Amino acid sequence: MSTWVHDAIARIAADFCRSADTHLIPLPLPSFARHGIDLYLKDESTHPTGSLKHRLARSLFLYALCNGWLREGTTVVEASSGSTAVSEAYFARLLGLPFIAVMPRGTSAEKVAQIAFYGGRSHFVDHAGEVYAAAQQLARETGGHYMDQFTYAERATDWRGNNNIAQSMFEQMAHERHPVPSWIVVGAGTGGTSATIGRYVRYQRHATQVCVADPEGSVFAAYHASRDATLTAPGSRIEGIGRPRVEPSFIPSLVDHMEAVSNLESLAGMHALTGLLGHKVGPSTGTNFVAMLRLANEMRARQTPGSVLSLLCDSGERYENTYHDATWAKAQFGDVTPARHHLAVLMG
């Protein structure tokens, strides 16, 4: 191992030690609590780069370093709709490496600015399905390394523990009324988080089931039902989750249930959670919240107590000029009012 790789791994380890774990937030929903059902969000927006993808980026960099794929001066290239790119730009700057993010043109300006803040640059394509080939081409042209989160996300994290997100969730739930969740709900972009949690649950022999909340336009729900890896879809319009093609890191056998969520429901969930928490959340968190409420309602109907746990993926401040802008959202998706009324009924 070269001195540079040795030092690079040490810098990432030191950065990890400087970061505290993220908070577990109980949701104030008395209509469920009085039936013995508790809902929680693990707030991943408090990472240094502001999202759940900070964990993934750290794992991907360590995986690449330990596989000998990165060396001093290597240009790192990633295909990303935003949050992964922001987090990878952070770690690239930490190691003094050039970074290029390949993303669709519609990615929020706030995320593009954050990538630039960390010294990275953005390369835009017209359609989400073009990011893969463009990233591979840029890596070849620069003599760099395509990080390829969609292939390596499910294998870069130690699913047995080692302070991964699943272990952290269960440790933080230890003193709650229902410490072993009935359900853990996550969205899927790469599928890495659902794979890590699904494997950890089985390894620890927990009764917890894993649900993936899949946004409108994503291929994952159809793939989970059919197991046909050749399926494609239009692609998700909820930034950060859902894909137009089946990704290698999405492992359907580790997912117990899929919940398809419409765009307007995702926005309504985002607004409802913003009101509950007193601060803005991103649209993918809204997608998760809709699935949580559906599962909690099913538990209430069956008179089955328990807990439902999900992720607050990132802060709504990244979407001030898009999803949280009423004019923009109505032009893009239509009137969210009926979905908000429906969600209010689900919330009891």
Side-chain angles (χ1 to χ4, degrees):
M1 180 168 56
S2 72
T3 300
W4 184 87
V5 170
H6 178 280
D7 291 345
I9 294 171
R11 284 196 291 272
I12 292 175
D15 181 80
F16 175 75
C17 288
R18 292 191 292 268
S19 300
D21 198 1
T22 58
H23 299 295
L24 186 70
I25 303 171
L27 296 181
L29 293 168
S31 63
F32 292 109
R34 63 174 168 261
H35 291 279
I37 301 167
D38 302 321
L39 281 71
Y40 301 84
L41 287 175
K42 187 163 174 58
D43 186 1
E44 295 292 287
S45 72
T46 57
H47 285 293
T49 53
S51 83
L52 166 67
K53 299 301 185 180
H54 193 85
R55 295 180 188 268
L56 172 59
R58 181 195 295 122
S59 295
L60 287 169
F61 268 83
L62 286 171
Y63 193 71
L65 286 164
C66 292
N67 277 310
W69 299 338
L70 296 180
R71 62 187 184 280
E72 187 172 6
T74 300
T75 297
V76 178
V77 183
E78 183 61 282
S80 169
S81 62
S83 287
T84 300
V86 171
S87 297
E88 288 191 16
Y90 171 93
F91 284 102
R93 186 178 73 169
L94 182 71
L95 304 186
L97 300 177
F99 178 75
I100 305 172
V102 180
M103 63 182 70
R105 294 190 191 282
T107 301
S108 70
E110 290 86 353
K111 286 184 179 177
V112 174
Q114 286 182 304
I115 292 165
F117 173 78
Y118 291 122
R121 69 179 178 92
S122 298
H123 177 92
F124 297 101
V125 297
D126 292 325
H127 304 289
E130 298 172 352
V131 295
Y132 315 97
Q136 290 169 338
Q137 179 64 27
L138 280 169
R140 285 194 294 269
E141 290 174 357
T142 61
H145 172 64
Y146 172 31
M147 196 67 88
D148 195 1
Q149 59 167 323
F150 299 108
T151 295
Y152 296 111
E154 60 90 7
R155 65 194 73 170
T157 300
D158 184 352
W159 49 269
R160 288 162 295 190
N162 194 24
N163 200 39
N164 68 28
I165 192 167
Q167 181 182 24
S168 177
M169 283 176 161
F170 280 91
E171 287 178 352
Q172 289 178 314
M173 286 290 294
H175 299 288
E176 300 300 318
R177 177 163 59 163
H178 306 292
V180 175
S182 301
W183 288 97
I184 294 178
V185 177
V186 297
T190 62
T193 301
S194 60
T196 296
I197 293 171
R199 287 167 175 157
Y200 183 84
V201 163
R202 287 157 175 75
Y203 181 62
Q204 295 294 335
R205 303 180 302 284
H206 291 310
T208 303
Q209 296 188 83
V210 176
C211 170
V212 166
D214 203 36
E216 181 180 334
S218 172
V219 75
F220 289 134
Y223 171 54
H224 187 268
S226 69
R227 298 302 203 267
D228 181 358
T230 68
L231 289 175
T232 60
S236 167
R237 298 177 65 196
I238 301 301
E239 227 172 86
I241 57 172
R243 300 301 302 165
R245 72 172 197 182
V246 176
E247 303 294 354
S249 278
F250 181 78
I251 313 297
S253 59
L254 294 171
V255 177
D256 299 292
H257 180 66
M258 301 288 298
E259 279 288 342
V261 179
S262 72
N263 291 328
L264 289 173
E265 288 176 311
S266 292
L267 292 183
M270 178 188 76
H271 291 307
L273 264 180
T274 294
L276 273 178
L277 299 175
H279 61 85
K280 293 178 179 177
V281 302
S284 60
T285 305
T287 308
N288 288 346
F289 186 49
V290 172
M292 293 177 75
L293 289 175
R294 290 179 186 171
L295 294 169
N297 271 280
E298 291 173 7
M299 292 168 64
R300 183 166 59 183
R302 296 194 308 267
Q303 298 184 337
T304 304
S307 56
V308 182
L309 173 58
S310 189
L311 302 174
L312 197 167
C313 306
D314 59 5
S315 167
E317 278 65 37
R318 291 184 168 182
Y319 309 97
E320 290 277 9
N321 298 316
T322 52
Y323 299 90
H324 276 286
D325 182 291
T327 302
W328 182 92
K330 187 170 185 178
Q332 294 291 320
F333 301 108
D335 185 9
V336 73
T337 305
R340 293 180 77 162
H341 289 329
H342 176 67
L343 209 66
V345 172
L346 281 182
M347 291 170 66

